[in-house]
Amino acid sequence: MVDLFRSPAATRATSLGRWALVAALPLSMAAWGAGESAAPAGSDSAELDDSGVAIDDDVAPVNDTAEDKPDLEGLDSVEPDTEMPDTRVPAALQAVYTLGEKSYPESVEFDPATRRFFTASLELGNVVVTDGVTGESEEFFAGNGEPGWLGLGMQVDAARRRLWVCVAREKTIDYGEVWQLDLDTGTRLARLNLAETADKGACTDFALADDGGVFVTDRQHGRIYRVSGGETPAATVAVEDSALDPVAVGQNGVVLNPNQKVLISGKYLPVRLMRSDLTNAAAPVVTELTLDFSFLAGGADDLVLHGEKLYVVVEDRVAQITFADGDWTAASITTTVPIWEEGADLIGGFSGIVVAEGALYASRSDVVLWGFGAASERPFVLRRVAGIAGGL
């Protein structure tokens, strides 16, 4: 079995891309004013009405005509301190976020409630949070406090305020853990050793189920685990099939069909998309989608579902996959777009992908060079993908 980090590195090209930030619209408020009306001036000489009665010139004449009456309805109900609604447009997410020089962000997730990005580090084995508006980053969870841990795939569960994290020990990935973190505080709520579920069990990435549990891919073995949600998560083997075994490098990203019965997992190298049908949970059926990725350099890493399309990050590009039906029995590659262009050159090293406020963002970790112990040629970034799913 060939390990990812012994695979030949893809050729990387360099140049400078241009990105524009979306400016926030200014706040516009309407001004309110109140007018005053003067009482009619009195006369020095008294006048008589038609009946001969004197008109008191200290009393203004009364006009009962309805159309001349001011509309005072509702004025007494308006409190003077009533606040006008805030109609400001929220600041836009940035097009590019530059991370620390040792960050190696293998994966990226986004929390729509707080507008923050989360990245897991290959080098440091920790989790970093980046503010989507300011671009400021800080450590969110320090990890196990031991050298040699790799941060891999993650999954945000925004509704339950949870963050799932895959970690592995050493580059051989012969031991893996699943963490469940509090999405707001960074407190670790659960830590599962997958070797207690299956021999040399390890994890690579997640797909979130409707009940709060997750499906977890195993890169080294032909398995997909099921980890329950709740306060005491527990892991079981959901799928085990030789069709999922690695050829060169095994499973990485995974997505779950909205019908909760079909998983698509991606093999890194050679690139394959595998379909696991869970209709009969006791006997899942695994098949391969017929797709030709041979025109792309590099391996298939992270997967994300957006709308009815599947997006796969492959080194320096994102491939859009369109399914033929709702059960994902067949699919086609409908387009591919570069992630980072500099003139005619493409910058590679991208491994993670996420949807954030309608756009795709990819994380650059340069995993192949990291695997060989070589320095990265470019900064580690989160970058909005242009020309696809809401990108600029």
Side-chain angles (χ1 to χ4, degrees), residues 269-282:
L269 198 67
V271 180
R272 300 285 187 272
L273 291 185
M274 309 302 297
R275 180 182 185 272
S276 296
D277 192 323
L278 310 177
T279 302
N280 181 357

Side-chain angles (χ1 to χ4, degrees), residues 29-113:
M29 300 295 291
W32 293 84
E36 295 181 355
S37 54
S43 174
D44 289 341
S45 58
E47 298 181 5
L48 299 179
D49 63 13
D50 294 339
S51 61
V53 178
I55 300 175
D56 188 348
D57 55 10
D58 289 333
V59 179
V62 176
N63 188 340
D64 288 329
T65 305
E67 61 196 28
D68 292 332
K69 291 182 179 180
D71 185 5
L72 303 179
E73 183 180 357
L75 290 184
D76 291 341
S77 64
V78 178
E79 296 292 339
D81 294 333
T82 299
E83 295 183 0
M84 297 297 295
D86 188 350
T87 58
R88 289 174 294 184
V89 176
L93 297 178
Q94 298 181 23
V96 181
Y97 303 87
T98 301
L99 306 180
E101 61 182 23
K102 292 186 177 181
S103 59
Y104 290 89
E106 197 278 340
S107 59
V108 58
E109 280 291 299
F110 181 74
D111 175 24

Side-chain angles (χ1 to χ4, degrees), residues 22-310:
V22 179
L25 298 178
L27 171 64
S28 174
M29 300 295 291
W32 293 84
E36 295 181 355
S37 54
S43 174
D44 289 341
S45 58
E47 298 181 5
L48 299 179
D49 63 13
D50 294 339
S51 61
V53 178
I55 300 175
D56 188 348
D57 55 10
D58 289 333
V59 179
V62 176
N63 188 340
D64 288 329
T65 305
E67 61 196 28
D68 292 332
K69 291 182 179 180
D71 185 5
L72 303 179
E73 183 180 357
L75 290 184
D76 291 341
S77 64
V78 178
E79 296 292 339
D81 294 333
T82 299
E83 295 183 0
M84 297 297 295
D86 188 350
T87 58
R88 289 174 294 184
V89 176
L93 297 178
Q94 298 181 23
V96 181
Y97 303 87
T98 301
L99 306 180
E101 61 182 23
K102 292 186 177 181
S103 59
Y104 290 89
E106 197 278 340
S107 59
V108 58
E109 280 291 299
F110 181 74
D111 175 24
T114 61
R115 308 184 77 199
R116 300 188 297 173
F117 291 92
F118 295 83
T119 52
S121 173
L122 282 169
E123 177 71 13
L124 304 175
N126 65 352
V127 177
V128 170
V129 62
T130 300
D131 188 291
V133 176
T134 68
E136 296 180 357
S137 297
E138 62 181 354
E139 187 172 78
F140 183 70
F141 182 72
N144 288 338
E146 305 167 354
W149 285 92
L150 291 60
L152 298 171
M154 296 188 301
Q155 176 67 57
V156 159
D157 183 350
R160 298 171 183 83
R161 312 308 297 160
R162 297 289 182 262
L163 176 65
W164 296 89
V165 184
C166 266
V167 296
R169 189 173 57 196
E170 305 299 340
K171 294 179 180 180
T172 54
I173 311 184
D174 59 357
Y175 172 89
E177 293 183 352
V178 171
W179 299 341
Q180 186 193 71
L181 308 181
D182 185 296
L183 188 56
D184 296 305
T185 67
T187 302
R188 184 161 59 188
L189 305 175
R191 178 182 180 182
L192 284 72
N193 173 5
L194 289 177
E196 296 177 355
T197 302
D199 182 41
K200 295 184 179 180
C203 72
T204 316
D205 215 337
F206 298 98
L208 180 66
D210 285 349
D211 62 3
V214 287
F215 290 92
V216 188
T217 50
D218 189 327
R219 198 194 80 169
Q220 304 297 82
H221 311 94
R223 305 184 192 121
I224 299 176
Y225 306 99
R226 179 73 157 89
V227 179
S228 61
E231 296 182 358
T232 56
T236 57
V237 176
V239 185
E240 187 164 17
D241 195 297
S242 60
L244 299 177
D245 287 345
V247 178
V249 182
Q251 295 179 102
N252 205 305
V254 59
V255 295
L256 177 63
N257 191 301
N259 66 19
Q260 305 292 290
K261 295 179 180 180
V262 176
L263 290 164
I264 300 293
S265 58
K267 288 187 179 182
Y268 185 91
L269 198 67
V271 180
R272 300 285 187 272
L273 291 185
M274 309 302 297
R275 180 182 185 272
S276 296
D277 192 323
L278 310 177
T279 302
N280 181 357
V285 177
V286 179
T287 55
E288 179 183 337
L289 293 179
T290 304
L291 296 166
D292 182 9
F293 289 93
S294 62
F295 66 99
L296 295 175
D301 211 306
D302 203 4
L303 314 180
V304 67
L305 191 65
H306 183 42
E308 298 180 352
K309 308 291 185 182
L310 177 67

Side-chain angles (χ1 to χ4, degrees), residues 4 7-13 267-271 292-301 312-319 336-339 346-351 367-368:
L4 162 64
S7 301
T11 301
R12 308 271 164 63
K267 288 187 179 182
Y268 185 91
L269 198 67
V271 180
D292 182 9
F293 289 93
S294 62
F295 66 99
L296 295 175
D301 211 306
V312 186
V313 60
V314 186
E315 181 62 25
D316 54 16
R317 294 174 180 268
V318 171
T336 62
V337 296
I339 301 172
L346 299 183
I347 310 304
F350 287 90
S351 55
V367 60
V368 175

